[in-house]
Amino acid sequence: MGLVADGTFAFPLTQQHIADALGLSLVHTNKTLARLRRMGMFTRGNGTLTLTNPRVIERIAQYFDAEIPLRPLI
């Protein structure tokens, strides 16, 4: 869609937005984002977010390229 350039995309959300969306406290969200930032996973500024280490983020999120097998609902 052309929304990402060099790993950077528009990200107008605040920490309060993120905390509210995830149902977390602002303090916990702030500490978690600070820890991920210190680990070099991303940088934020001027309404943008840059993923500096997307492979590590994929591993933490346990994202795999393999197709997820279909499972019955019941």
Side-chain angles (χ1 to χ4, degrees), residues 3-27:
L3 300 175
V4 179
D6 297 323
T8 301
F9 55 93
F11 194 78
L13 301 178
T14 66
Q15 287 185 7
Q16 185 67 58
H17 292 132
I18 296 167
D20 289 345
L22 297 175
L24 300 171
S25 72
L26 184 58
V27 171

Side-chain angles (χ1 to χ4, degrees), residues 41-42 51-63:
M41 301 216 185
F42 70 92
L51 298 179
T52 53
N53 201 339
R55 282 299 199 197
V56 171
I57 293 170
E58 289 174 2
R59 287 191 64 130
I60 288 174
Q62 296 181 347
Y63 172 82

Side-chain angles (χ1 to χ4, degrees), residues 19-37:
D20 289 345
L22 297 175
L24 300 171
S25 72
L26 184 58
V27 171
H28 180 74
T29 302
N30 179 282
K31 288 181 179 183
T32 301
L33 289 174
R35 182 176 178 204
L36 294 173
R37 193 177 308 111

